[in-house]
Amino acid sequence: RMKNTTLCYIHNDRGQTLLLHRVKKENDLNHDKWVGIGGKFEDGESPEECMCREALEETGLTLHNPQLRGIVTFVSNEWDNEYMFLFTCTQFSGELTECKEGNLEWVAKDKVCDLPIWEGDKIFFRLLNENVPFFSLKLSYEGDKLVSAVLNGEALEL
């Protein structure tokens, strides 16, 4: 059974991306990783509704016109498999609030991949930065090791 989730990279006008350093939740598969904002769908939500709700809950920010950029399929031998709807957003309002899942921080876009992030996240962050049109990316993990990546049906070299 696949779970449905969202993830958004919120970008400000200073060339920074809002990231969440996941350090506060127990039994968190993302523990100590830096990730975008997002979470699981609630019953009956569209991807946009889920993304906007999660952003408001986690950051205090209201997203305006989030852009759906791709779908990422995660397959794992340890965790639930999932379909993740990947967004970016440059228009938002409100003030950052504290997040119960970790620490929020604006990070220079060119420094994101220097942080402890998932190997697969580096692939889709690069695709987003290169403005690749809507894409489908399948990432397969054994534990926390990325073992395969397939972009639009074509295997990528790791």
Side-chain angles (χ1 to χ4, degrees), residues 5-156:
T5 64
T6 58
L7 184 78
C8 186
Y9 289 110
I10 302 170
H11 303 296
N12 65 21
D13 56 7
R14 296 182 305 280
Q16 298 171 314
T17 301
L18 185 61
L19 294 179
L20 177 59
H21 187 199
R22 300 282 296 247
V23 292
K24 295 182 181 178
K25 277 178 72 173
E26 294 284 326
N27 302 315
D28 184 357
L29 77 102
N30 290 304
H31 183 74
D32 209 28
K33 297 273 196 269
W34 292 77
V35 297
I37 305 307
K40 296 180 197 78
F41 280 62
E42 290 184 355
D43 192 41
E45 280 185 321
S46 70
E48 292 78 11
E49 289 167 333
C50 176
M51 188 63 267
C52 289
R53 177 187 51 78
E54 287 285 349
L56 185 60
E57 288 175 4
E58 292 182 2
T59 69
L61 300 177
T62 299
L63 301 184
H64 307 288
N65 197 28
Q67 299 296 301
L68 181 58
R69 304 285 304 278
I71 297 176
V72 181
T73 304
F74 289 102
V75 177
S76 169
N77 66 337
E78 289 185 17
W79 306 98
D80 290 341
N81 297 331
E82 70 182 87
Y83 293 123
M84 183 184 75
F85 293 78
L86 181 61
F87 290 84
T88 57
C89 190
T90 58
Q91 301 169 349
F92 54 90
S93 58
E95 297 295 323
L96 273 184
T97 57
E98 190 159 321
C99 180
K100 65 181 181 222
E101 297 179 8
N103 301 318
L104 295 166
E105 189 172 323
W106 290 104
V107 176
K109 275 189 193 181
D110 62 348
K111 300 292 184 205
V112 170
C113 290
D114 296 339
L115 297 169
I117 65 175
W118 291 97
E119 285 303 308
D121 291 18
K122 292 178 183 179
I123 296 171
F124 58 74
F125 194 76
R126 176 182 52 81
L127 296 170
L128 295 173
N129 280 341
E130 293 174 357
N131 288 313
V132 170
F134 191 88
F135 59 86
S136 174
L137 179 64
K138 181 179 180 183
L139 301 172
S140 299
Y141 283 89
E142 290 179 5
D144 62 0
K145 179 177 175 33
L146 182 64
V147 294
S148 75
V150 178
L151 177 62
N152 298 327
E154 299 289 326
L156 298 177

